[in-house]
Amino acid sequence: MGRLIGTLLVVWLVIGGFAAWQRGYFDDTDTNCSEASDTALTVVAGPLNYTGVNPKIRCGKVDVPEPSK
């Protein structure tokens, strides 16, 4: 049973890697937080990428509400 799960996990990640490659995420050598996280999410999402899932992460400044005066 463990071998089957391991095999399915590897196949899942290979499909996700292929989806990231098709989107051109591995072409750019200058990577920022957003691109790296989008690539990682695409790989982890695996076959879901082909059902319309397009994972994105916004990095950088987070908008935090200001305290009242």
Side-chain angles (χ1 to χ4, degrees):
M1 185 65 166
R3 180 178 243 168
L4 176 63
I5 292 172
T7 302
L8 289 176
L9 180 63
V10 168
V11 169
W12 183 275
L13 293 175
V14 166
I15 292 171
F18 184 70
W21 175 75
Q22 282 184 319
R23 292 179 182 182
Y25 289 157
F26 299 125
D27 294 342
D28 191 9
T29 57
D30 295 329
T31 308
N32 59 31
C33 172
S34 181
E35 290 176 6
S37 59
D38 288 347
T39 302
L41 273 177
T42 300
V43 171
V44 170
L48 296 178
N49 291 294
Y50 295 104
T51 62
V53 175
N54 189 16
K56 298 281 183 188
I57 289 184
R58 195 180 102 201
C59 297
K61 183 181 175 190
V62 178
D63 296 328
V64 178
E66 295 292 323
S68 59
K69 295 181 180 182

Coordinates of all heavy atoms in Angstrom, one line a residue:
M1 N 0.8 -1.2 0.0 CA 0.0 0.0 0.0 C 0.9 1.3 0.0 O 0.6 2.2 -0.7 CB -0.9 0.0 1.2 CG -1.9 1.1 1.3 SD -3.0 0.9 -0.1 CE -4.3 2.1 0.3
G2 N 1.9 1.3 0.8 CA 2.8 2.4 0.9 C 3.5 2.7 -0.5 O 3.8 3.8 -0.9
R3 N 3.9 1.6 -1.1 CA 4.5 1.7 -2.4 C 3.6 2.4 -3.5 O 4.0 3.2 -4.3 CB 5.0 0.3 -2.9 CG 5.7 0.4 -4.2 CD 6.2 -1.0 -4.6 NE 7.6 -0.9 -4.7 CZ 8.4 -2.0 -4.8 NH1 7.9 -3.2 -4.8 NH2 9.7 -1.8 -4.9
L4 N 2.3 2.0 -3.4 CA 1.3 2.6 -4.3 C 1.2 4.1 -4.1 O 1.2 4.9 -5.0 CB 0.0 1.9 -4.2 CG -1.2 2.4 -5.0 CD1 -0.9 2.3 -6.5 CD2 -2.5 1.7 -4.6
I5 N 1.1 4.4 -2.8 CA 0.9 5.9 -2.5 C 2.2 6.6 -2.9 O 2.1 7.7 -3.4 CB 0.7 6.0 -1.0 CG1 -0.7 5.5 -0.6 CG2 0.8 7.5 -0.5 CD1 -1.0 5.4 0.8
G6 N 3.4 6.1 -2.7 CA 4.6 6.7 -3.1 C 4.7 6.9 -4.6 O 5.0 8.0 -5.1
T7 N 4.3 5.9 -5.3 CA 4.2 6.0 -6.8 C 3.3 7.0 -7.3 O 3.6 7.8 -8.2 CB 3.9 4.6 -7.4 OG1 4.9 3.6 -7.0 CG2 3.9 4.7 -8.9
L8 N 2.1 7.0 -6.7 CA 1.1 8.0 -7.1 C 1.5 9.5 -6.8 O 1.3 10.4 -7.5 CB -0.3 7.8 -6.3 CG -1.0 6.5 -6.8 CD1 -2.3 6.3 -6.0 CD2 -1.4 6.7 -8.3
L9 N 2.2 9.6 -5.6 CA 2.8 10.9 -5.3 C 3.8 11.4 -6.3 O 3.8 12.6 -6.7 CB 3.4 10.9 -3.9 CG 4.0 12.2 -3.4 CD1 2.9 13.3 -3.2 CD2 4.6 12.0 -2.0
V10 N 4.7 10.5 -6.7 CA 5.7 10.9 -7.7 C 5.1 11.2 -9.0 O 5.4 12.2 -9.6 CB 6.7 9.7 -7.8 CG1 7.6 10.0 -9.0 CG2 7.6 9.6 -6.6
V11 N 4.1 10.4 -9.5 CA 3.4 10.7 -10.7 C 2.7 12.1 -10.6 O 2.7 12.9 -11.5 CB 2.4 9.6 -11.1 CG1 1.5 10.0 -12.2 CG2 3.2 8.3 -11.4
W12 N 2.0 12.4 -9.5 CA 1.3 13.6 -9.2 C 2.3 14.8 -9.4 O 2.0 15.8 -10.1 CB 0.7 13.6 -7.8 CG -0.1 14.8 -7.5 CD1 0.4 16.0 -7.0 CD2 -1.5 15.0 -7.6 NE1 -0.6 16.9 -6.8 CE2 -1.8 16.2 -7.1 CE3 -2.5 14.1 -8.0 CZ2 -3.1 16.7 -7.1 CZ3 -3.8 14.6 -8.0 CH2 -4.1 15.9 -7.5
L13 N 3.5 14.7 -8.8 CA 4.4 15.8 -8.8 C 5.1 16.0 -10.2 O 5.4 17.1 -10.6 CB 5.5 15.6 -7.8 CG 5.0 15.7 -6.3 CD1 6.1 15.4 -5.3 CD2 4.4 17.1 -6.0
V14 N 5.3 14.9 -10.9 CA 5.8 14.9 -12.3 C 4.8 15.6 -13.2 O 5.2 16.5 -14.0 CB 6.1 13.5 -12.8 CG1 6.4 13.5 -14.3 CG2 7.3 13.0 -12.1
I15 N 3.5 15.3 -13.0 CA 2.5 16.0 -13.8 C 2.5 17.5 -13.5 O 2.4 18.4 -14.4 CB 1.1 15.4 -13.6 CG1 1.1 14.0 -14.2 CG2 0.0 16.2 -14.2 CD1 -0.1 13.2 -13.9
G16 N 2.6 17.8 -12.2 CA 2.7 19.3 -11.8 C 3.9 19.9 -12.3 O 3.8 21.1 -12.8
G17 N 5.0 19.3 -12.3 CA 6.2 19.8 -12.9 C 6.1 20.1 -14.4 O 6.6 21.1 -14.9
F18 N 5.4 19.2 -15.1 CA 5.2 19.3 -16.5 C 4.3 20.5 -16.8 O 4.5 21.3 -17.7 CB 4.6 18.1 -17.1 CG 4.4 18.1 -18.6 CD1 5.5 18.1 -19.4 CD2 3.1 18.2 -19.1 CE1 5.3 18.1 -20.8 CE2 2.9 18.2 -20.5 CZ 4.0 18.2 -21.3
A19 N 3.3 20.7 -15.9 CA 2.4 21.9 -16.1 C 3.1 23.2 -15.8 O 2.9 24.2 -16.6 CB 1.2 21.8 -15.1
A20 N 4.0 23.2 -14.8 CA 4.8 24.4 -14.6 C 5.8 24.7 -15.8 O 6.0 25.8 -16.2 CB 5.7 24.2 -13.3
W21 N 6.3 23.6 -16.4 CA 7.2 23.8 -17.5 C 6.4 24.3 -18.7 O 6.9 25.2 -19.4 CB 7.8 22.4 -17.9 CG 8.6 22.5 -19.1 CD1 9.8 23.0 -19.3 CD2 8.2 22.0 -20.4 NE1 10.2 22.9 -20.6 CE2 9.2 22.2 -21.3 CE3 7.1 21.3 -20.8 CZ2 9.2 21.8 -22.6 CZ3 7.0 20.9 -22.2 CH2 8.0 21.2 -23.0
Q22 N 5.2 23.8 -18.9 CA 4.3 24.3 -20.0 C 4.0 25.8 -19.9 O 3.9 26.5 -20.8 CB 3.0 23.5 -20.1 CG 3.2 22.2 -20.7 CD 1.8 21.5 -20.9 OE1 1.0 21.6 -20.0 NE2 1.6 20.8 -22.0
R23 N 3.9 26.3 -18.6 CA 3.6 27.7 -18.4 C 4.8 28.5 -18.4 O 4.7 29.8 -18.3 CB 2.9 27.8 -17.0 CG 1.5 27.2 -17.0 CD 0.9 27.3 -15.7 NE -0.4 26.7 -15.7 CZ -1.3 26.6 -14.7 NH1 -0.9 27.2 -13.5 NH2 -2.4 26.0 -14.8
G24 N 6.0 27.9 -18.6 CA 7.2 28.7 -18.8 C 7.8 29.2 -17.5 O 8.6 30.1 -17.4
Y25 N 7.5 28.5 -16.3 CA 8.0 29.0 -15.0 C 9.5 28.7 -14.9 O 10.1 29.3 -14.0 CB 7.2 28.3 -13.9 CG 5.8 28.8 -13.7 CD1 4.8 28.1 -13.1 CD2 5.4 30.1 -14.2 CE1 3.5 28.5 -12.9 CE2 4.1 30.6 -14.0 CZ 3.2 29.8 -13.4 OH 1.9 30.3 -13.2
F26 N 10.0 27.7 -15.6 CA 11.4 27.4 -15.5 C 12.3 28.1 -16.5 O 13.5 27.9 -16.4 CB 11.6 25.9 -15.7 CG 10.8 25.0 -14.7 CD1 9.9 24.1 -15.1 CD2 11.0 25.2 -13.3 CE1 9.2 23.3 -14.1 CE2 10.3 24.5 -12.4 CZ 9.4 23.5 -12.8
D27 N 11.7 29.0 -17.3 CA 12.5 29.7 -18.3 C 13.3 30.8 -17.8 O 14.4 31.1 -18.2 CB 11.6 30.2 -19.4 CG 11.0 29.1 -20.2 OD1 11.5 27.9 -20.2 OD2 10.0 29.3 -20.9
D28 N 12.8 31.5 -16.8 CA 13.3 32.8 -16.2 C 14.3 32.4 -15.1 O 14.0 31.7 -14.2 CB 12.2 33.7 -15.7 CG 12.7 35.0 -15.4 OD1 13.8 35.4 -15.7 OD2 11.9 35.8 -14.8
T29 N 15.5 33.0 -15.2 CA 16.5 32.7 -14.1 C 16.4 33.8 -13.0 O 16.8 33.5 -11.9 CB 18.0 32.8 -14.7 OG1 18.2 34.0 -15.3 CG2 18.2 31.7 -15.7
D30 N 15.8 34.9 -13.3 CA 15.6 35.9 -12.3 C 14.2 35.7 -11.6 O 13.2 35.9 -12.3 CB 15.6 37.4 -12.8 CG 17.0 37.7 -13.4 OD1 18.0 37.2 -12.8 OD2 17.0 38.5 -14.3
T31 N 14.2 35.2 -10.4 CA 13.0 34.8 -9.8 C 12.8 35.6 -8.6 O 13.7 35.9 -7.8 CB 13.1 33.3 -9.4 OG1 13.5 32.5 -10.5 CG2 11.8 32.8 -8.9
N32 N 11.5 36.0 -8.3 CA 11.1 36.7 -7.1 C 10.2 35.8 -6.3 O 9.9 34.6 -6.7 CB 10.5 38.0 -7.4 CG 9.2 37.9 -8.3 OD1 8.5 36.9 -8.2 ND2 9.0 38.9 -9.1
C33 N 9.8 36.3 -5.2 CA 9.0 35.5 -4.3 C 7.7 34.9 -4.9 O 7.3 33.8 -4.8 CB 8.6 36.3 -3.0 SG 7.4 35.6 -1.9
S34 N 7.0 35.8 -5.7 CA 5.8 35.4 -6.3 C 6.0 34.4 -7.4 O 5.2 33.4 -7.4 CB 5.1 36.7 -6.9 OG 3.9 36.4 -7.5
E35 N 7.0 34.5 -8.2 CA 7.2 33.5 -9.2 C 7.6 32.1 -8.6 O 7.2 31.1 -9.1 CB 8.3 34.0 -10.2 CG 7.9 35.1 -11.1 CD 9.1 35.6 -11.9 OE1 10.1 35.0 -11.9 OE2 8.9 36.6 -12.6
A36 N 8.5 32.2 -7.6 CA 8.9 30.9 -7.0 C 7.7 30.2 -6.3 O 7.5 29.0 -6.4 CB 10.0 31.2 -6.0
S37 N 6.8 31.0 -5.6 CA 5.7 30.4 -5.0 C 4.7 29.9 -6.0 O 4.1 28.8 -5.8 CB 5.1 31.4 -4.0 OG 4.7 32.5 -4.6
D38 N 4.5 30.6 -7.1 CA 3.5 30.2 -8.1 C 4.0 28.9 -8.7 O 3.2 27.9 -9.0 CB 3.4 31.2 -9.2 CG 2.6 32.4 -8.8 OD1 1.9 32.4 -7.7 OD2 2.6 33.4 -9.5
T39 N 5.3 28.8 -8.9 CA 5.9 27.5 -9.5 C 5.7 26.4 -8.5 O 5.3 25.3 -8.9 CB 7.4 27.7 -9.8 OG1 7.6 28.8 -10.7 CG2 8.0 26.5 -10.4
A40 N 6.0 26.6 -7.3 CA 5.8 25.5 -6.3 C 4.4 25.1 -6.2 O 4.1 23.9 -6.1 CB 6.4 26.0 -4.9
L41 N 3.5 26.0 -6.1 CA 2.0 25.7 -6.1 C 1.6 24.9 -7.3 O 0.8 24.0 -7.2 CB 1.2 26.9 -5.9 CG 1.0 27.4 -4.5 CD1 0.2 28.7 -4.4 CD2 0.3 26.3 -3.7
T42 N 2.1 25.3 -8.5 CA 1.7 24.6 -9.7 C 2.2 23.2 -9.7 O 1.4 22.3 -10.0 CB 2.3 25.3 -10.9 OG1 1.8 26.7 -11.0 CG2 1.9 24.6 -12.2
V43 N 3.4 23.0 -9.2 CA 3.9 21.6 -9.1 C 3.1 20.8 -8.1 O 2.7 19.6 -8.3 CB 5.4 21.6 -8.7 CG1 5.9 20.2 -8.4 CG2 6.2 22.2 -9.8
V44 N 2.8 21.4 -6.9 CA 2.0 20.7 -5.9 C 0.6 20.4 -6.3 O 0.0 19.3 -6.0 CB 2.1 21.4 -4.6 CG1 1.1 20.9 -3.5 CG2 3.5 21.5 -4.0
A45 N 0.0 21.3 -7.1 CA -1.4 21.1 -7.6 C -1.5 20.0 -8.6 O -2.6 19.4 -8.7 CB -1.9 22.4 -8.2
G46 N -0.4 19.6 -9.2 CA -0.3 18.4 -10.1 C -1.4 18.4 -11.1 O -1.6 19.4 -11.9
P47 N -2.1 17.3 -11.3 CA -3.1 17.2 -12.3 C -4.3 18.2 -12.2 O -5.0 18.4 -13.2 CB -3.6 15.8 -12.1 CG -2.6 15.0 -11.4 CD -1.9 16.1 -10.5
L48 N -4.5 18.8 -11.1 CA -5.5 19.8 -10.9 C -5.3 21.0 -11.9 O -6.3 21.7 -12.2 CB -5.6 20.3 -9.5 CG -6.0 19.2 -8.4 CD1 -6.0 19.9 -7.1 CD2 -7.4 18.6 -8.8
N49 N -4.1 21.2 -12.3 CA -3.8 22.3 -13.2 C -4.5 22.1 -14.5 O -4.9 23.1 -15.2 CB -2.3 22.3 -13.5 CG -1.5 22.8 -12.3 OD1 -1.6 23.9 -11.9 ND2 -0.7 21.9 -11.8
Y50 N -4.8 20.9 -14.9 CA -5.5 20.6 -16.2 C -7.0 20.7 -16.0 O -7.7 20.4 -17.0 CB -5.0 19.3 -16.7 CG -3.5 19.4 -17.1 CD1 -2.6 18.8 -16.3 CD2 -3.1 20.1 -18.2 CE1 -1.2 18.9 -16.6 CE2 -1.8 20.2 -18.5 CZ -0.8 19.6 -17.7 OH 0.5 19.7 -18.0
T51 N -7.5 20.9 -14.8 CA -8.9 21.1 -14.6 C -9.3 22.5 -14.4 O -10.4 22.8 -14.0 CB -9.4 20.2 -13.4 OG1 -8.8 20.7 -12.2 CG2 -9.1 18.8 -13.7
G52 N -8.3 23.5 -14.6 CA -8.6 24.9 -14.5 C -8.0 25.5 -13.3 O -8.2 26.7 -13.1
V53 N -7.4 24.8 -12.4 CA -6.7 25.4 -11.3 C -5.5 26.2 -11.7 O -4.7 25.7 -12.5 CB -6.3 24.3 -10.2 CG1 -5.5 24.9 -9.1 CG2 -7.5 23.6 -9.7
N54 N -5.4 27.4 -11.3 CA -4.3 28.3 -11.7 C -3.8 29.0 -10.4 O -4.1 30.1 -10.1 CB -4.6 29.3 -12.7 CG -3.4 30.0 -13.3 OD1 -2.3 29.6 -13.1 ND2 -3.7 31.1 -13.9
P55 N -3.0 28.3 -9.6 CA -2.7 28.8 -8.3 C -1.7 30.0 -8.4 O -0.8 30.0 -9.2 CB -2.0 27.6 -7.6 CG -1.5 26.8 -8.6 CD -2.4 26.9 -9.8
K56 N -2.0 31.0 -7.6 CA -1.1 32.2 -7.5 C -1.0 32.7 -6.1 O -1.9 32.5 -5.3 CB -1.8 33.4 -8.3 CG -1.9 33.1 -9.8 CD -0.7 33.3 -10.5 CE -0.9 33.0 -12.0 NZ 0.4 33.0 -12.7
I57 N 0.2 33.2 -5.8 CA 0.4 33.8 -4.5 C 0.9 35.2 -4.6 O 1.8 35.5 -5.5 CB 1.5 33.0 -3.7 CG1 0.8 31.6 -3.3 CG2 1.9 33.7 -2.4 CD1 1.7 30.8 -2.4
R58 N 0.5 36.1 -3.8 CA 0.9 37.5 -3.9 C 1.9 37.7 -2.7 O 1.5 37.5 -1.6 CB -0.2 38.5 -3.7 CG 0.2 39.9 -4.1 CD -1.0 40.8 -4.0 NE -0.8 41.5 -2.7 CZ -1.7 42.1 -2.0 NH1 -2.9 42.1 -2.4 NH2 -1.4 42.8 -1.0
C59 N 3.1 38.0 -3.0 CA 4.1 38.2 -2.0 C 4.4 39.7 -1.9 O 4.1 40.5 -2.8 CB 5.4 37.5 -2.3 SG 5.3 35.7 -2.4
G60 N 5.1 40.1 -0.8 CA 5.5 41.5 -0.7 C 4.7 42.1 0.4 O 4.4 41.5 1.4
K61 N 4.5 43.4 0.2 CA 3.8 44.2 1.3 C 2.4 43.7 1.5 O 1.6 43.5 0.6 CB 3.7 45.6 0.9 CG 3.1 46.5 1.9 CD 3.1 48.0 1.5 CE 2.3 48.8 2.5 NZ 2.0 50.1 2.1
V62 N 2.1 43.4 2.7 CA 0.7 42.9 3.1 C 0.0 44.1 3.6 O 0.5 44.9 4.5 CB 0.8 41.8 4.2 CG1 -0.6 41.4 4.6 CG2 1.6 40.7 3.7
D63 N -1.2 44.3 3.1 CA -2.1 45.5 3.6 C -2.7 45.1 4.9 O -3.5 44.2 5.0 CB -3.1 45.8 2.5 CG -2.6 46.3 1.2 OD1 -1.5 46.9 1.2 OD2 -3.2 46.0 0.2
V64 N -2.3 45.8 5.9 CA -2.8 45.6 7.3 C -3.6 46.8 7.7 O -3.2 47.9 7.5 CB -1.6 45.4 8.3 CG1 -2.1 45.2 9.7 CG2 -0.7 44.2 7.8
P65 N -4.7 46.6 8.3 CA -5.6 47.7 8.7 C -4.8 48.6 9.7 O -4.1 48.1 10.5 CB -6.8 47.1 9.3 CG -6.7 45.6 9.0 CD -5.4 45.3 8.6
E66 N -5.0 49.9 9.5 CA -4.4 50.8 10.5 C -5.2 50.9 11.8 O -6.4 50.8 11.7 CB -4.3 52.2 9.9 CG -3.5 52.3 8.6 CD -2.0 52.2 9.0 OE1 -1.6 52.7 10.0 OE2 -1.3 51.5 8.2
P67 N -4.5 51.1 12.9 CA -5.3 51.2 14.2 C -6.1 52.5 14.2 O -5.7 53.5 13.6 CB -4.2 51.2 15.2 CG -2.9 51.6 14.5 CD -3.1 51.2 13.1
S68 N -7.2 52.4 14.9 CA -8.0 53.7 15.0 C -7.3 54.7 15.9 O -6.5 54.3 16.8 CB -9.4 53.3 15.6 OG -9.3 52.7 16.8
K69 N -7.6 55.9 15.7 CA -7.0 57.0 16.5 C -7.8 57.4 17.7 O -8.9 57.3 17.8 CB -6.7 58.2 15.7 CG -5.7 57.9 14.6 CD -5.4 59.1 13.8 CE -4.4 58.8 12.7 NZ -4.0 59.9 11.9

